[in-house]
């Protein structure tokens, strides 16, 4: 029996789609990250029960931190993106979270800069608040050790490929790190939207970019670039196609980052079928119903989609590009 709802909703389901291919499906993935971080802060004495924790979020981290604060008797203040929808806003309000949303923006950099600026103002006015710094503080890695243990137990022995959207860097980075510590041969494949600075696509914007939670217009220290073996840059149309196809063929209703990860996984399996592939579904598709899934008839058939293999960031182009990240980094640094 779980002691708190956060402990129940954090647990992912590992779903076998076919031999050698699985989906790690979360209801809301960042609960692991938030619970682990808050536990560490309390244990270290950095915060005490009743203190206020503050951070910026595009959605799922807001819910995760709210549940972690509820679990451990903390107060929570969120500066949210416009992608925080009404369903989540009402939940946060009832949980006692104070939420501020920045003005809507089609520009990722402006959205994140507005949120970070507002967090700085809040901290200046309330020096007792603790800034969680989900994008920069490595404590957000800690909670994923348990998930890595689950994967190690439930997946067959042998080489593994882990595929997932790269937002703050904590989930994919932590899972690959902890699995590699056990001696597992792990290839890490990261998925990005166009327009993100994290893996150098900031000069190739996507006007339809609403893939919340992945990509960034500012540098995140929790993204450890050396951990990643391959990167896929996927635009909105391709991500929608992947999400629709995943729902149609597997019954898995998940967000756009999962659709993009599913596309990348299909392609990587063709390149190297010797590995067991696991792709991350970070949350459900509910917040994308009107903005994406309602347009399912417009989604291109996934079998018509193919990435462009690039050897330089100058070659990045829509709708889908991919590269060996170590080789591309070496070219950039030469």
């Amino acid at each position: 029996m779980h002691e708190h709802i956060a402990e129940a909703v954090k647990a992912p389901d590992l779903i076998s789609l076919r031999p050698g291919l699985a989906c790690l499906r979360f209801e809301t993935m960042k609960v692991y990250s938030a619970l682990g971080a808050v536990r560490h802060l309390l244990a270290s004495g950095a915060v005490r029960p009743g203190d206020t924790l503050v951070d910026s979020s595009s959605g799922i981290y807001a819910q995760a931190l709210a549940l972690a604060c509820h679990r451990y008797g903390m107060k929570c203040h969120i500066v949210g993106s416009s992608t925080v929808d009404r369903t989540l806003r009402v939940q946060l309000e009832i949980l006692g979270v104070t939420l501020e949303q920045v003005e809507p923006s089609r520009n990722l950099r402006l959205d994140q800069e507005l949120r970070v600026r507002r967090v700085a103002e809040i901290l200046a006015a309330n020096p007792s608040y603790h800034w969680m710094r989900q994008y920069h503080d490595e404590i957000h890695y800690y909670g994923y050790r348990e998930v890595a243990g689950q994967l190690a137990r439930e997946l067959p022995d042998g080489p593994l490929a882990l595929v997932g959207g790269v937002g703050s860097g904590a989930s994919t980075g932590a899972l690959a790190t902890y699995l590699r510590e056990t001696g597992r041969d792990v290839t890490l494949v990261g998925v990005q939207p166009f327009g993100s600075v994290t893996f150098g696509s900031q000069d190739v914007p996507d006007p339809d970019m609403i893939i919340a939670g992945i990509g960034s217009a500012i540098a995140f220290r929790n993204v450890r670039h050396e951990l990643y073996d391959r990167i896929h840059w996927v635009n909105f149309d391709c991500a929608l196609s992947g999400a629709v196809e995943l729902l149609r063929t597997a019954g898995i209703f998940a967000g756009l980052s999962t659709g993009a990860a599913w596309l990348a996984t299909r392609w990587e399996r063709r390149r190297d079928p010797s590995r067991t592939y696991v792709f991350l579904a970070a949350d459900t598709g509910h917040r994308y119903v009107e903005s994406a899934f309602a347009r399912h008839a417009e989604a291109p058939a996934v079998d018509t989609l193919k990435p462009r293999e690039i050897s330089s960031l100058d070659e990045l182009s829509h709708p889908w590009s991919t590269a060996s990240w170590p080789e591309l980094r070496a070219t950039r640094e030469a």
Side-chain angles (χ1 to χ4, degrees):
M1 183 179 296
H2 299 289
E3 295 182 1
H4 190 271
I5 184 64
E7 306 293 342
V9 300
K10 75 176 185 179
D13 299 305
L14 188 59
I15 303 166
S16 176
L17 302 188
R18 63 193 66 148
L21 174 62
C23 175
L24 187 64
R25 180 200 175 274
F26 294 83
E27 181 174 340
T28 175
M29 183 178 68
K30 290 193 176 181
V31 172
Y32 263 112
S33 181
L35 283 173
V38 173
R39 277 197 301 266
H40 175 81
L41 290 170
L42 287 166
S44 67
V47 300
R48 295 175 297 178
D51 284 354
T52 298
L53 308 182
V54 61
D55 213 342
S56 161
S57 173
S58 62
I60 63 174
Y61 184 76
Q63 182 185 27
L65 186 59
L67 289 174
C69 286
H70 191 274
R71 169 72 175 84
Y72 290 110
M74 317 291 289
K75 298 183 180 69
C76 182
H77 188 105
I78 295 292
V79 178
S81 168
S82 59
T83 56
V84 177
D85 62 18
R86 185 173 184 273
T87 300
L88 180 54
R89 289 199 305 270
V90 171
Q91 291 182 65
L92 295 177
E93 181 180 350
I94 294 171
L95 285 169
V97 176
T98 50
L99 170 69
E100 303 179 38
Q101 284 183 272
V102 297
E103 293 296 319
S105 174
R106 301 284 289 183
N107 182 291
L108 181 63
R109 175 176 290 277
L110 178 58
D111 177 82
Q112 290 181 324
E113 286 180 348
L114 287 173
R115 285 190 275 141
V116 171
R117 189 182 310 153
R118 180 56 188 149
V119 168
E121 293 171 352
I122 291 167
L123 293 169
N126 302 275
S128 65
Y129 286 12
H130 182 87
W131 183 17
M132 290 300 293
R133 301 171 74 244
Q134 66 150 322
Y135 304 132
H136 307 300
D137 195 328
E138 67 177 8
I139 63 174
H140 290 90
Y141 271 56
Y142 299 162
Y144 292 110
R145 186 179 290 276
E146 185 179 341
V147 186
Q150 176 186 350
L151 291 176
R153 290 190 304 271
E154 297 188 26
L155 293 172
D157 294 336
L160 175 68
L162 184 68
V163 186
V166 183
S168 69
S171 58
T172 50
L175 289 174
T177 296
Y178 295 141
L179 285 166
R180 286 168 176 168
E181 285 178 357
T182 69
R184 193 74 176 251
D185 175 2
V186 179
T187 291
L188 181 58
V189 181
V191 176
Q192 282 279 280
F194 289 96
S196 169
V197 71
T198 305
F199 288 93
S201 66
Q202 64 271 16
D203 295 328
V204 188
D206 182 355
D208 293 319
M209 194 287 297
I210 57 167
I211 309 177
I214 67 171
S216 174
I218 57 178
F220 292 166
R221 287 199 293 276
N222 271 340
V223 177
R224 300 174 186 174
H225 290 82
E226 69 278 6
L227 297 177
Y228 295 85
D229 297 289
R230 291 187 60 80
I231 299 295
H232 285 254
W233 295 266
V234 181
N235 74 3
F236 170 82
D237 290 336
C238 287
L240 174 61
S241 292
V244 169
E245 180 70 7
L246 183 62
L247 178 56
R248 179 180 292 126
T249 59
I252 297 173
F253 184 45
L256 290 176
S257 67
T258 305
W262 168 230
L263 271 189
T265 301
R266 286 165 52 94
W267 184 256
E268 292 296 326
R269 287 185 78 229
R270 294 190 186 101
R271 293 183 65 257
D272 180 8
S274 67
R275 294 177 178 270
T276 295
Y277 283 79
V278 180
F279 65 96
L280 274 59
D283 62 350
T284 67
H286 292 88
R287 64 173 168 163
Y288 294 108
V289 169
E290 294 302 326
S291 59
F293 282 97
R295 299 163 56 182
H296 65 88
E298 305 170 19
V302 293
D303 290 336
T304 67
L305 303 174
K306 179 180 178 179
R308 178 187 186 189
E309 188 80 29
I310 65 171
S311 57
S312 166
L313 288 175
D314 293 335
E315 300 171 3
L316 272 172
S317 63
H318 286 250
W320 179 7
S321 296
T322 186
S324 164
W325 184 244
E327 293 178 10
L328 198 148
R329 286 185 75 201
T331 300
R332 295 177 68 192
E333 295 167 3

